[in-house]
């Protein structure tokens, strides 16, 4: 990611943060719509899970300009996801739901450059997390 992309991700996330509860609900609704089998990995009461999602996104987004600062937490999160039943093939589905949610939440502010920046950010982080949880061969697939 380049500095312009990092800035775009951070600026666009700042616009979503005030509606974080709604954004998280939209994200999980979309995720469960496109991948209904993953719903079993989550608690019945999603309130805390939605808060965790937005808090984690905030940490990652704010740490993009110093990616090394968030990598240990991302590694630990990736390894925890394995115990929940997450598989490498879930990462693109989650990424798609995230980008869809951001597009809906940002409206006209969701430009091609913002979309490219978020795609790069998610690709970078998910590739790292897959590598940490499953090995580098899985991240390359």
């Amino acid at each position: 990611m380049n500095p312009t992309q990092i800035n775009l991700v951070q600026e666009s996330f700042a616009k979503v943060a005030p509606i974080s509860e709604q954004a998280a609900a939209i994200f999980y609704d979309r995720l469960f719509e496109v991948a209904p089998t993953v719903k079993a990995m989550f608690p019945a009461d999603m309130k805390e899970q939605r808060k965790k999602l937005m808090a984690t996104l905030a940490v990652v987004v704010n740490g993009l300009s110093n990616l090394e600062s968030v990598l240990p937490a991302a590694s630990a999160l990736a390894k925890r996801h394995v115990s929940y039943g997450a598989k490498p093939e879930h990462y693109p589905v989650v990424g798609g739901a995230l980008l869809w949610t951001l597009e809906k939440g940002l409206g006209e502010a969701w430009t091609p450059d913002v979309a490219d920046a978020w795609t790069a950010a998610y690709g970078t982080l998910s590739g790292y997390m897959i590598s940490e949880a499953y090995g580098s061969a899985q991240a390359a697939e």
Side-chain angles (χ1 to χ4, degrees):
M1 293 189 70
N2 63 48
T4 301
Q5 288 176 315
I6 291 169
N7 192 45
L8 285 170
V9 168
Q10 291 174 337
E11 286 178 358
S12 59
F13 188 73
K15 294 174 185 173
V16 174
I19 57 161
S20 62
E21 286 183 36
Q22 182 183 359
I26 291 168
F27 166 78
Y28 282 112
D29 287 350
R30 179 65 175 177
L31 179 61
F32 298 154
E33 177 185 325
V34 297
T37 58
V38 303
K39 191 169 187 175
M41 295 181 203
F42 293 91
D45 182 355
M46 291 291 292
K47 187 174 184 175
E48 284 303 310
Q49 182 65 36
R50 289 190 292 264
K51 286 180 184 177
K52 287 178 186 177
L53 169 72
M54 296 311 291
T56 301
L57 277 174
V59 168
V60 170
V61 166
N62 291 329
L64 285 177
S65 51
N66 182 14
L67 199 55
E68 292 76 23
S69 70
V70 297
L71 292 181
S75 175
L77 181 63
K79 292 169 185 171
R80 277 196 313 275
H81 276 96
V82 174
S83 69
Y84 305 144
K87 300 192 178 336
E89 58 267 23
H90 291 131
Y91 282 80
V93 176
V94 168
L98 176 63
L99 296 176
W100 186 89
T101 301
L102 290 164
E103 180 179 3
K104 297 300 172 203
L106 291 168
E108 291 181 8
W110 183 254
T111 65
D113 287 343
V114 171
D116 289 347
W118 273 98
T119 299
Y122 186 79
T124 298
L125 196 63
S126 66
Y128 175 78
M129 290 175 70
I130 291 167
S131 177
E132 287 293 293
Y134 309 100
S136 58
Q138 290 290 330
E141 289 180 8

